[in-house]
Amino acid sequence: MDRWQRVMEQQGNAPPDDIPIVLAREGHHGPVIHAANRVARLNGINPGSRVVDMRAICPDLQVEYADLAGDKAALDRLVLWARRWCPWTVRDEDNGLILDTTGSDHLLGGEAAMLIEMETQLSLLGLEAQLAVAPTWGAAWALARFGPVRSICAPDQVTDKLGALPVTALRLNEETLLLLGRLGLKTIGALMDVPRLSLTRRFVKAKLEANPLLRLDQALGKLAEPVASVDARPRFRVQSRLAEPILDPTPYLPGLCEALCEILDKAGMGCRRLFLTAYRTDGDISHVTVATSATTRDPTHLHSLFRDKIERINPGFGLDLITLEAGAVEELQHRQNRLEGGSDDDLHLTQLVDRLCAKFGSRAVTRPVLRQSHIPERAEKSAAALAAPPETETAARQERPIRLFDHPEEISVLYAVPEGPPAQFVWRRRPFRVVRYAGPERIAPEWWHDRPGTRLRDYFKIEDQSGQRLWIYREGLHGDGRGGAPRWFVHGCFA
């Protein structure tokens, strides 16, 4: 909710503070509430409830759809950002962060001071946080969501503090919570008082999220639940510290490119972007970025891309540090498809594209990309040559002309044939006589894109008396109720 409100503020569409707003996601029986603002929570609206039921409680409820993928990506970035306090961090399955601060809290003045520091830094990011420190993952999860603000739980206090919390704090699924409610077990303390053998018989084959005994053991520290921290993506970066300030970094670029490509080669990686940073003696910084159309680690080719861009660096009174960092890093394996070694691939073509983009700019060089459409003029679009290729492509299309006109050109029919192409027609003030043809290929309009009344097309491949091959189509049929007589057009040529 904090992230959604911040986006609305940046767009200038921030809602008033007195309106109850919820973010919804799809559930098994319709939309359910994913998050709610403060006003909505004060009206008794909680996450996990159905939107239809909550509208009955609060008729003025404003519902927006949650960006689940965006929230997940933001939390993944926040996991790495939170490593300023401890080295072991991980994202929780319930929109939270778990930090293993063992041995780190004393560096921040103790647990209380650490929680205040965390709350302050998160508030500067526009995020409202509920924090708790406990000996176990399960206890910290429960106290952060159902305990007081900034809860601190000592090892000898876990049983007492968890006993007053509801069984929802044990991270159980809805079916198990419903069953425990029917049994009258509403708090964790009541669950602790039940004989363990009775619960074991009932949940002996249940999974972790459906077994209250396993969750209780995790919260009390009887069952291990380590933090499997994710690793930050490695940064491939080299630098050259200069003994004396220089004015031209060009002589140092080949060595930097070779050193960076050697590191990439050892890791089995390649890159599609390079970031060159030059540090001046007066504290100013200059940046130069180059990109490639395909993943590579060829130092000679990467160095050639900087040839016309080094002039943009203003050395000032001199440069004392130069760094080169790889971006858009991807896996790149060695390929050999020739018996004597080496490979026959399209590397020369990609290098040509890279040089053209470095010379004329990335927007000046484009490439065709297939689209999911059966209308010929919509089945292809232009994309930047340096853009990442699409993950999925359309299936192989039927034979199409080498040259497709941007706009089909209408022709005048002299002699028509009932079920085939015209026997003779005039195009560009020149008569054509059809010698042979193939077709028709019928293409219906796309009703989700085209306007009502759009007519279908029947395409023919024809060849005239001189051997020229054209691609023509008839727009509409006699008596289709969508206009007058059919019209004929030339849409492309095969040679």
Side-chain angles (χ1 to χ4, degrees):
M1 176 57 70
D2 292 338
R3 175 175 170 270
W4 178 85
Q5 290 177 342
R6 187 168 65 251
V7 172
M8 291 295 102
E9 291 175 357
Q10 294 174 355
Q11 296 177 355
N13 299 324
D17 297 335
D18 57 346
I19 295 180
I21 303 175
V22 297
L23 301 180
R25 56 179 171 83
E26 293 297 331
H28 296 292
H29 303 286
V32 297
I33 295 176
H34 177 68
N37 65 350
R38 181 176 178 274
V39 179
R41 293 195 299 269
L42 292 177
N43 284 288
I45 298 175
N46 298 316
S49 305
R50 296 177 60 192
V51 174
V52 176
D53 300 335
M54 294 300 101
R55 282 191 183 275
I57 300 176
C58 182
D60 298 332
L61 186 64
Q62 179 178 339
V63 180
E64 303 288 343
Y65 276 93
D67 181 13
L68 301 181
D71 292 340
K72 179 179 178 299
L75 279 174
D76 290 339
R77 293 192 299 268
L78 204 62
V79 166
L80 303 179
W81 177 85
R83 291 188 177 176
R84 60 187 62 201
W85 297 301
C86 62
W88 302 101
T89 59
V90 66
R91 180 174 63 87
D92 202 336
E93 67 272 6
D94 190 25
N95 297 326
L97 299 181
I98 296 296
L99 285 70
D100 188 353
T101 60
T102 305
S104 302
D105 50 0
H106 72 280
L107 301 175
L108 301 170
E111 294 177 344
M114 179 184 65
L115 290 185
I116 295 176
E117 169 69 14
M118 291 179 179
E119 188 176 14
T120 302
Q121 294 297 328
L122 290 170
S123 64
L124 294 177
L125 297 178
L127 299 176
E128 181 182 355
Q130 297 173 277
L131 307 174
V133 175
T136 62
W137 181 333
W141 190 96
L143 292 172
R145 288 163 173 79
F146 301 93
V149 179
R150 292 198 300 271
S151 301
I152 298 179
C153 179
D156 56 348
Q157 300 175 341
V158 176
T159 303
D160 296 335
K161 290 198 172 184
L162 290 181
L165 300 182
V167 292
T168 313
L170 288 179
R171 298 176 290 170
L172 299 170
N173 56 21
E174 297 180 0
E175 292 78 6
T176 304
L177 292 175
L178 181 61
L179 176 60
L180 294 178
R182 291 174 178 175
L183 296 176
L185 302 175
K186 298 182 179 180
T187 64
I188 298 179
L191 186 65
M192 294 179 183
D193 295 337
V194 177
R196 189 176 182 88
L197 182 59
S198 301
L199 291 177
T200 303
R201 291 173 178 173
R202 176 62 183 81
F203 299 100
V204 63
K205 296 183 179 180
K207 296 182 179 179
L208 179 61
E209 62 274 6
N211 194 324
L213 288 178
L214 295 181
R215 286 300 194 187
L216 185 60
D217 290 344
Q218 288 180 340
L220 297 178
K222 299 178 181 179
L223 185 64
E225 190 178 9
V227 176
S229 182
V230 296
D231 295 329
R233 299 189 64 178
R235 296 181 62 182
F236 298 92
R237 184 171 178 265
V238 294
Q239 64 180 12
S240 177
R241 293 188 176 273
L242 308 174
E244 297 180 357
I246 62 171
L247 299 178
D248 185 13
T250 304
Y252 297 88
L253 282 181
L256 289 174
C257 291
E258 291 180 0
L260 182 60
C261 291
E262 183 178 355
I263 297 175
L264 291 172
D265 187 25
K266 291 181 179 179
M269 298 290 183
C271 67
R272 298 186 68 245
R273 290 186 181 274
L274 281 183
F275 304 98
L276 176 66
T277 306
Y279 296 82
R280 288 168 35 174
T281 55
D282 58 358
D284 200 0
I285 301 176
S286 298
H287 300 277
V288 175
T289 304
V290 297
T292 61
S293 57
T295 307
T296 181
R297 53 171 176 257
D298 183 1
T300 304
H301 174 56
L302 293 177
H303 172 249
S304 66
L305 301 180
F306 289 100
R307 186 171 304 159
D308 298 325
K309 295 190 175 184
I310 296 299
E311 301 175 354
R312 304 178 184 177
I313 298 179
N314 181 13
F317 295 100
L319 306 174
D320 57 0
L321 176 63
I322 305 173
T323 63
L324 187 64
E325 183 175 356
V329 178
E330 303 172 357
E331 291 187 4
L332 181 63
Q333 303 297 332
H334 290 286
R335 294 184 300 176
Q336 176 181 338
N337 50 28
R338 292 189 304 181
L339 185 61
E340 69 276 11
S343 62
D344 293 326
D345 52 21
D346 56 350
L347 183 60
H348 62 285
L349 178 59
T350 59
Q351 291 181 355
L352 174 61
V353 172
D354 297 341
R355 289 196 297 268
L356 292 175
C357 293
K359 181 70 174 178
F360 302 106
S362 58
R363 297 182 179 180
V365 185
T366 60
R367 58 182 174 87
V369 178
L370 297 179
R371 299 177 60 186
Q372 292 284 358
S373 177
H374 58 267
I375 304 298
E377 58 267 24
R378 299 176 187 167
E380 187 177 285
K381 68 176 182 179
S382 297
L386 297 182
E391 297 182 358
T392 58
E393 296 184 355
T394 56
R397 301 179 300 168
Q398 299 188 20
E399 183 184 3
R400 291 292 182 259
I402 297 176
R403 180 185 177 189
L404 193 69
F405 300 151
D406 293 335
H407 302 283
E409 301 180 7
E410 188 170 3
I411 60 179
S412 300
V413 177
L414 299 180
Y415 299 102
V417 178
E419 298 297 333
Q424 192 172 353
F425 60 90
V426 176
W427 175 49
R428 294 181 179 179
R429 300 182 181 180
R430 175 187 165 189
F432 290 81
R433 182 167 56 86
V434 178
V435 176
R436 54 181 62 90
Y437 73 91
E441 176 190 350
R442 177 160 294 181
I443 298 180
E446 296 176 340
W447 55 266
W448 56 95
H449 284 154
D450 294 320
R451 300 176 59 183
T454 303
R455 312 179 78 175
L456 57 81
R457 302 176 182 179
D458 284 333
Y459 280 86
F460 295 88
K461 304 171 187 176
I462 67 166
E463 182 178 336
D464 69 348
Q465 68 277 11
S466 62
Q468 184 176 359
R469 300 178 62 204
L470 301 175
W471 201 40
I472 67 174
Y473 72 86
R474 178 182 60 218
E475 184 182 65
L477 299 172
H478 288 282
D480 58 3
R482 296 191 174 187
R487 302 165 63 190
W488 287 88
F489 296 87
V490 176
H491 204 165
C493 55
F494 290 90

